[in-house]
Amino acid sequence: KKTYRIAVIPGDGIGKEVVPEGLRVLEAAAKKHGVAVHFDHFDFASWDYYEKHGEMMPEDWKAKIGKHDAIYFGAVGWPAKIPDHISLWGSLIKFRREFDQYVNLRPVRLMPGVPSPLANRKPGDIDFWVVRENTEGEYSSVGGRMFPDTDREFVTQQTVMTRIGVDRILKFAFELAQSRPKKHLTSATKSNGISITMPYWDERVEAMAKNYPKVKWDKYHIDILTANFVLHPDWFDVVVGSNLFGDILSDLGPACTGTIGIAPSGNINPPGLFPSVFEPVHGSAPDIAGQGIANPIGMIWSGAMMLEHLGEKQAADSIVAAIERTLGERTLRTRDLGGNADTTACGKAVAEMV
Amino acid sequence: KKTYRIAVIPGDGIGKEVVPEGLRVLEAAAKKHGVAVHFDHFDFASWDYYEKHGEMMPEDWKAKIGKHDAIYFGAVGWPAKIPDHISLWGSLIKFRREFDQYVNLRPVRLMPGVPSPLANRKPGDIDFWVVRENTEGEYSSVGGRMFPDTDREFVTQQTVMTRIGVDRILKFAFELAQSRPKKHLTSATKSNGISITMPYWDERVEAMAKNYPKVKWDKYHIDILTANFVLHPDWFDVVVGSNLFGDILSDLGPACTGTIGIAPSGNINPPGLFPSVFEPVHGSAPDIAGQGIANPIGMIWSGAMMLEHLGEKQAADSIVAAIERTLGERTLRTRDLGGNADTTACGKAVAEMV
Ligand SMILES: CC(C)[C@H](C(=O)O)[C@@H](O)C(=O)O
Ligand SMILES: CC(C)[C@H](C(=O)O)[C@@H](O)C(=O)O
């Protein structure tokens, strides 16, 4: 029986507080469901490490974590101490690129006990996935500045979409849609305004759709799509978008279900050639770090996504069910959700229920 | 006393149904407040015109409408009959570029009688402006495709930000913020992911802020900003964004206040060298065109923005007040807002109340 080797990287701020709760729950679920997991802990990809070593990660970081079955990642970034382009581009975005994690997958689900900012929506009403292209698109490094400090000054940055990059994310999204009862895929576009790359995206969606005759698909321009997340969140089943559009939709979606504080995410390399990274959608939250009040549910739920990715669906499902039960009890929820539990109490509650 | 010369272009679909109501209200307000207005009607920038002439507009369109004090525009586009890149880029976007309408201005305001999709928000809670750069940024025409129909195929499109283009929209936004009681400006960025153009945008915001010491400003990445539109719409006063970010925020904002069906917009050339275009945010809505049920409020409210732009604030305010009273009556609202008025009845109600 296989032992899964997981690289654990807490990172910065509340990452360090929620990771232990995530591990507590993973251990409980693994024990209960007979899954063997081994954790290796790493302190890099953090401000502390940068302060000591002058870099975000050791030179041999790939050797250290590149052979693990998955990476369990807390949060990185502390803008007051270190600029984002060093901290984020030196860790999170590096993983996405160098481990070719071309899928960023995030659920949008209204959970019990989480007050929805939308009127008249109940758990069950909102339940879909955002599939985001995670390696190219608008997050390119091609561009520059000309005529600095003059009236003619300008900057440009290219959006880059490759056939390989677009087709593989669309394939993933169509496969996911096909596997779900509703079999409905929505593509985010803006071909009426972004007149070169977005029509190309649309063209590839149409071509890919031919391989999935059972999937009903549609497309919306990103402006009206964000409006529909608010007005008609029940319309969606699987939503696919470019790097930027997926980024926006996967923050907006969780906001529509009450909070980004509990949302999980997977940065996935579908062929499995490299480890995938599982991390909560929230960041390191310097404003509340160190107080023991952070909500650990996003981290815990990311652990469930990791187990599902590893093929341990039963253990994964037990975590999600335990999360739902925990959120349903006011005394077990954290304060951001109107409860009165601290980070540890919330984590323990989930661990007991898996 | 000056007579304002307005070019009226109904365009397509429901544009043709809401423009007459907008004119009815403008005429009533002008009469009541002693404003002299003259309307010239044009049938171009429509599918009908395209069908007859094989082009969206006559060659001398600039001579025809370039000297008017403003353009009152319905809606353009009918994707089933004519591709967007011909209809939109041949009219609306052409106006924005060739008349250098570098400001796209849209109010986000929760109105009486309009059910908010957000829980527990009342009229007065949400009241801000979105200021969108309207000529450059992500809507560039620089880019292309290479290696077509091979595995190496890729497309690129440049985002272009010029010093002149960025500074002038920021100046407009800071001025607007400074003129309001809260004096609060929020800038939309994504400098942690879009690593060349967005840091430049941030840099220019910081430079411009020095000229407006009374304005409190902050910035959010676009992903969390969309989340905050849903979670904390009361935080905002003036929000400024690039062409794409402004486009998204100015659909999402009206959605958070219940419907994009009543939202107005101005495409403004602040120096006044060219006419500005005032149009509802909604499109031509082929699905309901011809039934007489379209909501004319977006068009009517756009007329108020036009009058305010022309310096006729009193007449403008009287229209906005009449809109609020009309929306407050179920029998005067259109069906999309749970009322039972048709387009004309709703328009007449506003006209009577100005
Ligand atoms: C129709 C489209 C090109 C346009 C835009 O994206 O600018 C519209 O969404 C708008 O906001 O006016
Ligand atoms: C931190 C930032 C670079 C990142 C992104 O934009 O990808 C984050 O918003 C996310 O969604 O994981």
Side-chain angles (χ1 to χ4, degrees), chain A residues 132-176:
Chain A
R132 165 188 177 185
E133 201 293 318
N134 211 29
T135 61
E136 54 171 43
E138 301 85 352
Y139 287 46
S140 85
S141 31
V142 190
R145 183 185 307 213
M146 205 165 162
F147 307 127
D149 300 321
T150 72
D151 278 357
R152 289 198 293 168
E153 184 176 63
F154 73 91
V155 293
T156 67
Q157 180 162 0
Q158 302 205 9
T159 294
V160 176
M161 293 190 183
T162 65
R163 172 103 160 220
I164 291 171
V166 174
D167 279 7
R168 65 186 183 176
I169 191 69
L170 294 178
K171 183 166 190 294
F172 184 94
F174 271 101
E175 296 278 345
L176 179 61

Side-chain angles (χ1 to χ4, degrees), chain A residues 275-294:
Chain A
S276 298
V277 166
F278 297 86
E279 46 145 7
V281 171
H282 65 69
S284 60
D287 51 321
I288 61 157
Q291 300 176 41
I293 59 170

Side-chain angles (χ1 to χ4, degrees), chain A residues 84-85 88-89 93 116-120 132 138-145 147-164 190-200 203-204 221-228 230-231 244-245 247-249 251-252 255-256 258-260, chain B residues 84-85 88-89 93 116-120 132 138-145 148-164 190-201 203-204 221-228 230-231 244-245 247-249 251-252 255-256 258-260:
Chain A
D84 286 345
H85 71 264
L88 300 171
W89 286 74
I93 295 183
S116 168
L118 304 187
N120 307 320
R132 165 188 177 185
E138 301 85 352
Y139 287 46
S140 85
S141 31
V142 190
R145 183 185 307 213
F147 307 127
D149 300 321
T150 72
D151 278 357
R152 289 198 293 168
E153 184 176 63
F154 73 91
V155 293
T156 67
Q157 180 162 0
Q158 302 205 9
T159 294
V160 176
M161 293 190 183
T162 65
R163 172 103 160 220
I164 291 171
K190 184 65 209 180
S191 52
N192 60 358
I194 302 190
S195 56
I196 303 170
T197 44
M198 281 299 156
Y200 181 70
E203 190 185 308
R204 300 314 304 160
H221 296 301
I222 184 69
D223 47 340
I224 190 70
L225 185 53
T226 62
N228 284 331
V230 172
L231 297 171
L244 175 65
F245 291 178
D247 178 54
I248 294 170
L249 295 173
D251 257 29
L252 178 62
C256 290
T259 171
I260 63 160
Chain B
D84 286 346
H85 72 264
L88 299 171
W89 287 74
I93 296 183
S116 167
L118 305 186
N120 308 319
R132 164 187 178 186
E138 302 85 352
Y139 287 47
S140 85
S141 32
V142 191
R145 182 185 306 216
D149 300 322
T150 72
D151 278 356
R152 291 198 292 167
E153 184 176 60
F154 73 90
V155 292
T156 67
Q157 180 162 0
Q158 303 205 9
T159 294
V160 176
M161 293 191 185
T162 65
R163 174 104 158 219
I164 291 171
K190 185 65 210 181
S191 52
N192 61 358
I194 301 190
S195 57
I196 303 170
T197 44
M198 282 297 157
Y200 181 71
W201 175 275
E203 190 186 309
R204 299 315 303 161
H221 295 302
I222 184 70
D223 46 342
I224 190 71
L225 186 54
T226 62
N228 283 332
V230 172
L231 297 170
L244 175 64
F245 290 179
D247 176 54
I248 293 171
L249 295 173
D251 256 29
L252 178 61
C256 290
T259 171
I260 63 161

